[in-house]
DNA sequence: GGCCCATGTCAATGCGCGTTGACTTGTCGA
DNA sequence: TCGACAAGTCAACGCGCATTGACATGGGCC
């Protein structure tokens, strides 16, 4: 990891020695760093620097790198805010988002990258299926309404994931007419799934 | 990497010293190993053992680990037989394939796993982007016809990838009415992209 | 105010990695 | 047949990593 951001810790800590706060800072830094660079390319030194604490605390507090990753994964698989989205604007919002570059600051991007990273790690791979079911399929199904069924959620989730991967691979944002055409078509595709029957 | 298989080399080599064959064995071993465990978790020693050759040959033949990965990636993303596909049956064929379970024995699955591994590593993601552009998007664009433009190929590729991920995560094949509904909808989605304008 | 344990710091250790260079050995042409 | 060069082997190096244990220090409690 090259450079991400300044330390996560609050500017004026109420106590200069607070194990709970330190632990939380490390965990938050780990979520950011693991999502950004994956398990292997993220060193505990990176995480400690991002958390503004010492490397040696990590094995002590989390039992090691794997323990930290597991806990960060659990913390990342949280209920989505999909219900808050405006359904009439959903497809276009998603399309616009997909036309942009992958923004690591976006928690959704972070979550997705994290899950993708987890998929490639044999230790954490089994967690992924359940995570996707809980975090993607179930919310989407509920959001679409009961009449939609599992199948529409499945298709929508697949398309969503596909565009996330595409964006991840693409790197840069789309520009000009290509962006316009892309957004139009993605909007149409998603509308085709969530719209009628 | 723990244990994969026996060395790839032919049992009775015609020549005991054959740089071309050794290079090819290393490359094939790299394709298998990288697909299985990703860039970071695969060591050159693993690959060399799988190829039945020496570690030191890899930097010499491929210029280093990155060079080997790049070449393995290129070899994996070979020009597809896309042109041979029947366009009128394309969407339904794909949909039926997606409704099934992911078959590890299928070279396409292996290829895809390789790409997914590449996508999650920041080092290799740019390489993957270029490779996908050259070997995936461009053929699709040509296949769709010039009027289609880059943008339709992009959308189609994203959808394709998304369903591959979904299938990989899902594990089991779909059955009964859910399968029918899934196939119908996927067919419609793909038709919507490759069909009209 | 002073003890003492929780908390944080620091240096050191061992390991696996990619890479390098010197060396050996096979093989093919003269 | 034999020499030269390609091909393969081997040991070692430097580096970054996670982890450990000894040490320093802050702050709540008596």
């Amino acid at each position: 990891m090259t450079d991400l951001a300044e330390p996560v810790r609050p500017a004026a800590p109420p106590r200069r020695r607070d194990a709970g706060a330190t632990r939380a800072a490390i965990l938050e830094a780990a979520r950011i760093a693991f999502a950004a660079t994956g398990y292997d390319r993220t060193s505990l030194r990176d995480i400690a620097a991002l958390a503004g604490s010492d490397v040696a605390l990590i094995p002590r507090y989390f039992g090691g790198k794997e323990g930290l990753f597991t806990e960060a994964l659990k913390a990342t698989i949280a209920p989505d805010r999909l219900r808050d989205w405006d359904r009439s604007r959903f497809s276009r919002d998603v399309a616009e988002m997909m036309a942009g570059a992958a923004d690591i600051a976006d928690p959704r991007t972070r979550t997705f990258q994290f899950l993708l990273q987890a998929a490639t790690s044999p230790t954490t791979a089994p967690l992924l299926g359940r995570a996707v079911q809980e975090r993607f399929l179930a919310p989407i199904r509920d959001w679409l309404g009961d009449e939609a069924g599992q199948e529409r959620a499945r298709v929508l989730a697949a398309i969503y994931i596909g565009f996330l991967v595409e964006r991840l691979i693409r790197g840069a944002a789309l520009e000009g007419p290509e962006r316009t055409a892309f957004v139009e078509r993605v909007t149409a595709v998603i509308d085709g799934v969530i719209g009628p029957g």
Side-chain angles (χ1 to χ4, degrees), chain A:
Chain A
M1 204 171 64
T2 52
D3 54 340
L4 265 182
E6 283 303 297
V8 176
R9 219 93 88 99
R15 289 164 55 199
R16 300 185 43 200
R17 293 196 155 192
D18 186 337
T22 301
R23 224 190 101 102
I26 291 173
L27 188 61
E28 176 62 16
R31 294 181 59 192
I32 295 173
F34 279 140
T37 50
Y39 182 84
D40 293 301
R41 301 190 96 88
T42 303
S43 73
L44 295 188
R45 288 169 171 83
D46 292 334
I47 294 173
L50 189 63
S53 63
D54 194 275
V55 203
L57 294 178
I58 300 182
R60 273 237 281 276
Y61 284 168
F62 297 92
K65 192 179 185 180
E66 286 209 13
L68 177 60
F69 185 83
T70 304
E71 196 150 335
L73 181 63
K74 283 180 185 168
T76 298
I77 306 177
D80 203 350
R81 300 155 304 169
L82 197 64
R83 292 160 220 274
D84 302 338
W85 290 14
D86 183 352
R87 186 160 167 176
S88 67
R89 295 180 41 79
F90 174 77
S91 56
R92 186 159 295 268
D93 284 348
V94 169
E96 288 285 352
M97 182 177 79
M98 295 306 176
D103 179 16
I104 197 58
D106 187 338
R108 281 180 307 232
T109 303
R110 254 177 41 195
T111 298
F112 172 69
Q113 280 193 278
F114 206 125
L115 297 185
L116 213 54
Q117 302 284 0
T120 65
S121 167
T123 319
T124 55
L127 294 173
L128 183 67
R130 194 154 39 89
V132 167
Q133 174 64 36
E134 289 174 5
R135 224 192 118 70
F136 284 97
L137 290 189
I140 290 175
R141 190 189 51 214
D142 296 345
W143 183 68
L144 286 174
D146 274 338
E147 90 285 349
Q150 177 89 351
E151 163 264 330
R152 278 215 287 172
R154 207 186 284 280
V155 172
L156 191 57
I159 292 173
Y160 187 78
I161 290 173
F163 282 116
L164 281 174
V165 174
E166 198 273 335
R167 194 177 66 146
L168 200 63
I169 289 171
R170 176 167 21 98
L174 293 175
E175 301 290 348
E178 194 187 7
R179 179 192 179 101
T180 308
F182 178 83
V183 168
E184 288 306 319
R185 194 171 300 270
V186 173
T187 303
V189 168
I190 297 175
D191 274 336
V193 178
I194 70 173

